[in-house]
Amino acid sequence: MGTTPDERRDAIRRLWSVGDYPRIAAHFAPAADRVVAETDLAARRVLDAGSGTGNAALAAARSGAEVAAFDLTPSLLALARRRAAAEGLRIEWREGDLLHVPWEDDAFDVTLSVFAAFLTDDPARCLTELIRVTRPGGQLLTTAWSRSSIFLRMMHVAAQHDADIVGVVDAGPFADRNGLRRLSIGAPIEDLAVREHELPLSFASVEAAFAFFEQASGPVQSLAAAFGDRWDAVRADIITDWQSVAASQPDGSVTLPASYVLAHLHLAP
């Protein structure tokens, strides 16, 4: 028997409610700032789709946009609301699913999805929904971790231990121009630009970095639970792999490459 829509949504909420995702999201804020800086949002109607703790929504509101945002996880929405209130920013918040965006057609000039759309279990449906709520001539911007990011590297290492647990490891269509082209066949896309950017993550050491994600990341905790008593060996190999790409800093700390792909789609008028 397959998973029902309610079971799917409940599983997503549980995944992002465990750990301490807001601590992780704080590290990702510079990527949201870059996305917002890609285009002039002042006085435009903007949607942050899969808003998490609100990084992109808040950045867009600060730039003068009229912002709406949604996420499926109530605890993250609550934090995003508090952050906006603390800054005196007016944002319309809704609980909603990336596969069923809770707005009418052509509601927004620009739609953003920062580290959200690429995670969906139905990327074609997700892209269709994001395009649906974006007006003709509007813009859609998304980010996804690239193949060289530490997060994809982690999954590749884990798959070497047990591919059945990890499944197919792939950056997905939102991280690749050709993938997005295939995903958007028949969609009213006038232009598509894809660029890779670096998001250096700074920690006291590689070991400290991995311990941080173990403690704060629901997906990492889920992966560890799936491996059970084999996790220590997987963990050691991931740390070794991350050490191979870590850059030492003069103060003794390290930076790790969380490279990501920013896709900028222009819809036909």
Side-chain angles (χ1 to χ4, degrees), residues 213-227:
F213 286 104
E214 275 187 311
Q215 295 162 8
S217 170
V220 174
Q221 291 181 12
S222 177
L223 185 66
F227 274 97

Side-chain angles (χ1 to χ4, degrees), residues 8-263:
R8 171 189 161 274
R9 286 189 286 268
D10 286 345
I12 292 170
R13 292 184 181 106
R14 285 195 300 272
L15 184 66
W16 296 104
S17 295
V18 300
D20 192 355
Y21 181 71
R23 291 174 61 206
I24 296 175
H27 285 271
F28 299 164
D33 292 340
R34 180 184 286 273
V35 171
V36 167
E38 279 285 302
T39 189
D40 182 10
L41 298 181
R44 305 180 83 181
R45 178 80 167 144
V46 175
L47 175 66
D48 181 10
S51 54
T53 61
N55 285 339
L58 270 66
R62 293 183 199 113
S63 75
E66 179 186 349
V67 181
F70 74 94
D71 199 272
L72 194 56
T73 305
S75 60
L76 299 184
L77 271 178
L79 175 58
R81 286 190 177 100
R82 292 195 298 272
R83 293 180 66 198
E87 292 190 38
L89 299 172
R90 295 185 62 182
I91 298 172
E92 178 185 358
W93 302 97
R94 295 184 186 179
E95 184 174 321
D97 188 342
L98 281 160
L99 303 188
H100 304 276
V101 177
W103 271 274
E104 66 278 6
D105 296 359
D106 306 334
F108 300 98
D109 300 306
V110 181
T111 297
L112 317 173
S113 188
V114 180
F115 302 129
F118 83 106
L119 292 169
T120 60
D121 49 337
D122 190 343
R125 171 69 177 269
C126 177
L127 182 61
T128 297
E129 280 290 280
L130 298 182
I131 291 172
R132 178 184 64 78
V133 298
T134 308
R135 67 165 177 79
Q139 301 173 59
L140 170 60
L141 296 95
T142 68
T143 63
W145 300 120
S146 76
R147 291 175 175 81
S148 59
S149 74
I150 57 169
F151 306 113
L152 268 292
R153 295 180 69 95
M154 174 179 65
M155 299 308 291
H156 278 293
V157 172
Q160 291 170 6
H161 283 259
D162 194 325
D164 290 335
I165 287 178
V166 178
V168 176
V169 180
D170 183 70
F174 282 96
D176 175 78
R177 179 188 299 274
N178 292 331
L180 273 169
R181 288 289 189 194
R182 290 191 297 271
L183 204 62
S184 60
I185 290 174
I189 305 298
E190 184 174 65
D191 185 55
L192 167 62
V194 175
R195 292 187 302 279
E196 187 165 332
H197 298 282
E198 289 295 331
L199 178 64
L201 301 180
S202 298
F203 291 92
S205 66
V206 173
E207 291 83 357
F210 195 74
F212 170 80
F213 286 104
E214 275 187 311
Q215 295 162 8
S217 170
V220 174
Q221 291 181 12
S222 177
L223 185 66
F227 274 97
D229 59 10
R230 294 182 291 162
W231 178 242
D232 285 347
V234 178
R235 182 184 195 279
D237 285 349
I238 294 170
I239 289 173
T240 297
D241 179 76
W242 283 14
Q243 286 171 334
S244 72
V245 295
S248 298
Q249 302 303 309
D251 63 358
S253 66
V254 300
T255 56
L256 289 160
S259 52
Y260 65 96
V261 172
L262 195 166

